[in-house]
Amino acid sequence: MIDVKELRKNYDDVVALSDVSFSISAGEVIGLLGPNGAGKTTLMKILTGFIHPSSGTASIGGFDVLNDTEKVQEMIGYLPENAPIYPELTVQSYLKMIAELRNIPANKQRDRIGEAAIAVGLVDRLTKPIGTLSKGYRQRVGLAQAILHQPKLLILDEPTNGLDPTQIVEVRRLIRSLSKNSTVMVSTHILSEVEATCDRALIIIRGELKADAKLSEISATAQALLTVGRSEKESEIKTSLEGISGVVRVDRDERSDAVMFRVRGSGDGQDLCPQIFTLAKAHDWPLHELRHETKTLESVFNELTATVGGGR
């Protein structure tokens, strides 16, 4: 659905994007994650044909963003951070105006408006002036206009910005439901937003793509934590752990009533727990706890931010 190759955007001496490349398949829900000023909005503006890149290419559905801009824009539903709504119009009037701007045939407009209203939960608000709606419902109106023409790609910029906790949960649920019919890209700097709505994350920091992986891959590590009671077997345990195939390092941390061993493997996501448990059972170690250690999206993000220096 999206194919980006060595995309670069300069604003005079400022590099907003630096040789960004990635591909997104149809039906994926992608989180575009990064600090404020990282380059997320610049990337979205290029994908939607609003600005041109300095170099590199971007295509959506096989159409080049520069050479086939109108075809690309027909395929995209876009919700910017501040939804483009007119408070004096009713929800129905506003969606009808969008339907006409999207060149939806007159004989299909009523059905499309109804389908969009059902999808985002606006059926009982269609005759209400937009200005009288809560912020959560105004955000739903923005989502409705973005999906009205049944886009193949839905791009959402900070979709829960400014909402209260209840509204955030509702909008996240809506995003997951909308992904049944569209590829979805959610741009945000809120880590929980990506964890709650997305299958895969693209992390951009200072204009560079620093991570591109499924959330399950980001959290995977080749580390196990073993905690045992204090005993004379501690040296034996460490030696045995170091002898496990694939183990590259064993760190020991003493506590008042126990000893914890962090066992590090060589392969990403390698689960050492079954082998460790077999050893513990065979040698009758005083086992307190054994678990596979995982990383959180927050820890990965913080590591990358600390290494690169955050956004501009």
Side-chain angles (χ1 to χ4, degrees), residues 61-177:
F63 294 102
D64 184 83
V65 170
L66 288 179
N67 299 325
D68 304 296
T69 305
E70 289 189 8
K71 289 182 178 179
V72 166
Q73 290 175 338
E74 288 174 1
M75 300 169 65
I76 295 176
Y78 180 44
L79 176 64
E81 185 173 355
N82 297 308
I85 54 177
Y86 296 85
E88 68 275 11
L89 296 180
T90 65
V91 174
Q92 185 169 328
S93 298
Y94 171 71
L95 293 179
K96 181 172 176 57
M97 178 188 73
I98 296 298
E100 293 174 352
L101 291 173
R102 282 291 188 179
N103 294 319
I104 297 174
N107 62 345
K108 293 184 179 180
Q109 289 183 9
R110 182 174 179 178
D111 288 343
R112 293 288 181 86
I113 291 172
E115 290 167 1
I118 291 172
V120 303
L122 278 174
V123 173
D124 60 346
R125 299 292 195 280
L126 285 173
T127 59
K128 301 287 186 181
I130 295 175
T132 66
L133 301 179
S134 67
K135 188 162 186 176
Y137 273 100
R138 292 199 297 272
Q139 196 76 334
R140 290 176 186 236
V141 174
L143 282 169
Q145 66 81 24
I147 65 172
L148 193 61
H149 59 299
Q150 298 177 343
K152 293 183 178 180
L153 173 63
L154 189 58
I155 298 178
L156 310 176
D157 188 3
E158 304 288 356
T160 62
N161 185 41
L163 302 185
D164 65 36
T166 300
Q167 294 167 339
I168 288 173
V169 171
E170 292 174 351
V171 170
R172 287 175 177 173
R173 189 182 299 118
L174 285 173
I175 291 171
R176 292 300 306 182
S177 66

Side-chain angles (χ1 to χ4, degrees), residues 284-300:
D284 196 26
W285 295 344
L287 182 63
H288 285 193
E289 180 186 26
L290 174 61
R291 62 183 172 88
H292 182 72
E293 189 173 38
T294 59
K295 288 184 177 181
T296 64
L297 181 59
E298 181 178 6
S299 65
V300 173

